[in-house]
Amino acid sequence: MSKPTLGIIGGGQLGSMLAIAANKLDIKTIIFCDDIDAPAQNFSNEFIHGDYNDQNKINEFVNKVDIITFEFENIPFETLNEINKSKPVLPKPSVNRIIQHRLAEKDFINKLNIRTTRYVSIEKKSEIDSVQDMLPGLLKTTTLGYDGKGQYLIQKIEDLETLNIDFSKGYILEKLVKLKKEISIIITRFDNKKYEIYEPVENLHEEQILKYSKIPAEIESKILEQSKLWAMQIAEELKYVGTLCVEFFIDRNDNLYVNEIAPRVHNSGHLTINAYNVSQFENHIRAVCKLEQVALKKISNAKMKNIIGNEISFYREKKYEQNEFFFDYLKKEIKSKRKMGHLTTLIK
Ligand code: ADP
Ligand code: MG
C-alpha cells in the first residue's frame, strides 16, 4: 500500500516537528495555515495559506491529502467536522469540541472520577461575588486561551476593579492550587487499549508559560502510576487516535489533579525527540497514518529549556556540545513571551 499524504492544520513549531517526523517516515505533508509566514512551511512538502473558514482554500487542501490532523486545538469544530465528511480527521473532531472549551473539558474529566481543581462557570462579573470561597482563583476564558493568555489572577474580590476584564466572553473561575510541582504525561493511542506512553515529564512554568521540562520527574511512585492511569483512561474514553498530553498539578499535600488536556503533541514532549527511540511527533504520525506501532525505549534522561523572545539571539550564536540539541523555530518576528526555539540537553 502506498503511503498517505498527510494534511496538517496549523503551521507553528508543532507543525514543523510533525512534518520533520513524517518526512523521516517517507510521508508527504501539506501544511494549511492562516499565517503566511507560518514557520512549518520550511519543513513540509507543500504549504497552503488560507483562512480557517475559507471554503475554497480548505477544499483545495482537502483534495490534495488523504488524512488530516492538526497542531492546535482551536480550529472551529464545524470546520473539522465538514472536512471529516470527505477525508478522515484524526484525532476525531468531537474530541476537539470537548477540549477546546474549558468547562466541557473539566466536566468530561470529572465524569471519569478524575480530580480537577474546583471550578465554576462565570458569565457575569457579579457572579463572582457569590463564589468568593473560590478565591484566590484564576479566571480563564473558556475558549482560545494558551500560554496563560486570557487568564487573570483574582486574589480578592476588589481585584476585579483594577483588572480590565471583558465580560462579553465566557469564563471559568478555578480555585488556585498551591502547587508543589507540575507534570505531564504524553501518550499515543493507536487503537483500543493500544498505547505507547512516555514517563511523566516534570515542568516548570514562568508567568504561565512553560520554561523548563525534564525527565525523570522527581515524584513518588504512587503519583507516577496514578498519572499514567488517568492519562490512559482519558485517551480510552475519547477513543483517541494520535498523541495526547495530559497536564497535571501536584499540590503541597501530594494530591494529583488533572489541569488540562491537549489533544495534540505538546511542548513538554519536545525532549522525546532526543531522549526516546520514537518521539511524540513520530508516534502521532504512526498512529494517524496507521503505521506500525514500535515499542518505546528510553535512550537518556533529558532536560529541555524553552527559548522565549529575545533570548533566541544568544542561542543562534552559541556553540553546542554533543549532548545538546538546539531547535530554532525560524519565526520571522521576535516577540516577547513568544516561543522562539528550544534546547534539549541529554543528561545522565
Ligand atoms: P494554558 O491553556 O494557557 O496552558 P493552563 O490552564 O494550563 O492554561 O495554565 C497555565 C499555567 O498556569 C499552568 O501550567 C499553571 O502553572 C498555572 N495555573 C493554571 N491554573 C492554575 C490553578 N488553578 N492553580 C494554580 N496554578 C494554575
Ligand atoms: Mg496548559
Side-chain angles (χ1 to χ4, degrees), residues 102 140 146-148 151 182 205 208 247 249 259-262 264 266:
R102 290 191 194 273
K140 306 180 181 178
Y146 69 97
D147 287 346
Q151 298 192 10
E182 293 186 68
H205 292 75
Q208 282 133 300
E247 299 178 9
F249 295 149
N259 167 28
E260 61 172 351
I261 305 167
R264 52 171 170 79
H266 190 264

Short mmCIF file of all heavy atoms in Angstrom, two decimals, residues 102 140 146-148 151 182 205 208 247 249 259-262 264 266, ligand 2:
data_model
loop_
_atom_site.label_atom_id
_atom_site.label_comp_id
_atom_site.label_asym_id
_atom_site.label_seq_id
_atom_site.Cartn_x
_atom_site.Cartn_y
_atom_site.Cartn_z
N ARG A 102 -13.03 25.03 28.11
CA ARG A 102 -12.51 24.63 29.42
C ARG A 102 -13.56 24.02 30.34
O ARG A 102 -13.24 23.16 31.15
CB ARG A 102 -11.84 25.81 30.12
CG ARG A 102 -10.53 26.26 29.47
CD ARG A 102 -9.80 27.25 30.37
NE ARG A 102 -8.73 27.95 29.67
CZ ARG A 102 -7.47 27.49 29.55
NH1 ARG A 102 -7.14 26.33 30.07
NH2 ARG A 102 -6.57 28.21 28.91
N LYS A 140 -10.31 32.30 33.76
CA LYS A 140 -9.76 32.00 32.43
C LYS A 140 -10.88 32.05 31.40
O LYS A 140 -12.00 31.58 31.68
CB LYS A 140 -9.18 30.57 32.40
CG LYS A 140 -8.16 30.27 33.48
CD LYS A 140 -7.66 28.83 33.35
CE LYS A 140 -6.66 28.51 34.45
NZ LYS A 140 -6.19 27.11 34.38
N TYR A 146 -4.13 30.15 25.55
CA TYR A 146 -2.92 29.32 25.56
C TYR A 146 -1.79 30.13 26.16
O TYR A 146 -1.86 31.36 26.18
CB TYR A 146 -2.55 28.83 24.15
CG TYR A 146 -2.09 29.95 23.23
CD1 TYR A 146 -0.72 30.19 23.04
CD2 TYR A 146 -3.01 30.77 22.59
CE1 TYR A 146 -0.30 31.24 22.23
CE2 TYR A 146 -2.59 31.80 21.79
CZ TYR A 146 -1.24 32.03 21.62
OH TYR A 146 -0.81 33.07 20.83
N ASP A 147 -0.77 29.44 26.66
CA ASP A 147 0.38 30.10 27.31
C ASP A 147 -0.07 31.19 28.28
O ASP A 147 0.50 32.28 28.33
CB ASP A 147 1.31 30.73 26.24
CG ASP A 147 2.10 29.66 25.49
OD1 ASP A 147 2.12 28.51 25.97
OD2 ASP A 147 2.68 29.98 24.44
N GLY A 148 -1.11 30.91 29.02
CA GLY A 148 -1.58 31.85 30.04
C GLY A 148 -2.34 33.04 29.49
O GLY A 148 -2.73 33.94 30.24
N GLN A 151 -5.99 34.85 30.98
CA GLN A 151 -6.11 34.42 32.37
C GLN A 151 -5.84 35.58 33.33
O GLN A 151 -4.93 36.37 33.10
CB GLN A 151 -5.10 33.32 32.68
CG GLN A 151 -5.29 32.07 31.86
CD GLN A 151 -4.49 30.90 32.38
OE1 GLN A 151 -3.92 30.95 33.46
NE2 GLN A 151 -4.44 29.84 31.59
N GLU A 182 4.44 20.60 38.75
CA GLU A 182 3.58 20.26 37.61
C GLU A 182 4.25 19.16 36.81
O GLU A 182 5.47 19.17 36.62
CB GLU A 182 3.35 21.49 36.73
CG GLU A 182 2.53 22.55 37.43
CD GLU A 182 2.17 23.71 36.51
OE1 GLU A 182 1.38 23.50 35.57
OE2 GLU A 182 2.69 24.82 36.74
N HIS A 205 6.82 26.31 34.99
CA HIS A 205 6.28 27.44 34.24
C HIS A 205 6.77 28.75 34.83
O HIS A 205 6.94 28.86 36.04
CB HIS A 205 4.75 27.43 34.27
CG HIS A 205 4.14 26.29 33.53
ND1 HIS A 205 4.12 25.01 34.02
CD2 HIS A 205 3.54 26.22 32.32
CE1 HIS A 205 3.53 24.21 33.14
NE2 HIS A 205 3.16 24.92 32.10
N GLN A 208 3.10 31.65 33.64
CA GLN A 208 2.15 30.73 32.98
C GLN A 208 2.63 30.17 31.64
O GLN A 208 1.85 29.56 30.91
CB GLN A 208 0.77 31.37 32.82
CG GLN A 208 -0.02 31.36 34.11
CD GLN A 208 -0.63 32.69 34.42
OE1 GLN A 208 0.09 33.69 34.56
NE2 GLN A 208 -1.93 32.74 34.49
N GLU A 247 -1.90 17.47 31.28
CA GLU A 247 -1.12 18.29 32.22
C GLU A 247 -1.70 18.10 33.62
O GLU A 247 -2.92 18.13 33.80
CB GLU A 247 -1.24 19.78 31.86
CG GLU A 247 -0.71 20.13 30.48
CD GLU A 247 -0.90 21.63 30.15
OE1 GLU A 247 -1.28 22.42 31.04
OE2 GLU A 247 -0.69 21.98 28.98
N PHE A 249 -1.36 18.93 38.02
CA PHE A 249 -0.83 19.66 39.17
C PHE A 249 -0.59 18.66 40.30
O PHE A 249 -1.38 17.72 40.47
CB PHE A 249 -1.85 20.68 39.71
CG PHE A 249 -2.20 21.80 38.78
CD1 PHE A 249 -3.48 22.37 38.80
CD2 PHE A 249 -1.26 22.32 37.90
CE1 PHE A 249 -3.81 23.43 37.96
CE2 PHE A 249 -1.58 23.38 37.06
CZ PHE A 249 -2.87 23.93 37.09
N ASN A 259 -4.89 19.18 35.22
CA ASN A 259 -5.08 20.59 34.90
C ASN A 259 -5.84 20.69 33.59
O ASN A 259 -6.96 21.19 33.53
CB ASN A 259 -3.73 21.31 34.83
CG ASN A 259 -3.83 22.69 34.21
OD1 ASN A 259 -4.87 23.34 34.29
ND2 ASN A 259 -2.79 23.13 33.55
N GLU A 260 -5.23 20.21 32.53
CA GLU A 260 -5.94 20.24 31.25
C GLU A 260 -5.40 19.17 30.31
O GLU A 260 -4.37 18.56 30.57
CB GLU A 260 -5.87 21.64 30.61
CG GLU A 260 -4.47 22.11 30.29
CD GLU A 260 -4.47 23.42 29.48
OE1 GLU A 260 -5.53 23.88 29.01
OE2 GLU A 260 -3.38 23.97 29.29
N ILE A 261 -6.14 18.99 29.21
CA ILE A 261 -5.76 18.00 28.21
C ILE A 261 -5.40 18.77 26.95
O ILE A 261 -6.09 19.73 26.59
CB ILE A 261 -6.96 17.07 27.88
CG1 ILE A 261 -7.49 16.40 29.16
CG2 ILE A 261 -6.56 16.02 26.85
CD1 ILE A 261 -8.85 15.72 28.95
N ALA A 262 -4.33 18.38 26.29
CA ALA A 262 -4.02 18.97 24.98
C ALA A 262 -4.17 17.85 23.95
O ALA A 262 -3.46 16.85 24.01
CB ALA A 262 -2.60 19.53 24.95
N ARG A 264 -3.16 16.91 21.21
CA ARG A 264 -2.12 17.13 20.20
C ARG A 264 -0.76 16.86 20.84
O ARG A 264 -0.68 16.61 22.04
CB ARG A 264 -2.15 18.59 19.72
CG ARG A 264 -2.11 19.57 20.87
CD ARG A 264 -1.93 21.00 20.44
NE ARG A 264 -2.14 21.90 21.55
CZ ARG A 264 -1.26 22.16 22.50
NH1 ARG A 264 -0.06 21.58 22.48
NH2 ARG A 264 -1.54 22.99 23.49
N HIS A 266 2.81 18.05 22.33
CA HIS A 266 2.86 19.08 23.37
C HIS A 266 4.30 19.53 23.63
O HIS A 266 5.23 18.76 23.54
CB HIS A 266 2.26 18.49 24.65
CG HIS A 266 2.02 19.46 25.75
ND1 HIS A 266 2.91 19.67 26.77
CD2 HIS A 266 0.96 20.29 25.99
CE1 HIS A 266 2.41 20.56 27.61
NE2 HIS A 266 1.24 20.97 27.16
MG MG B 2 -1.59 24.43 29.98
#
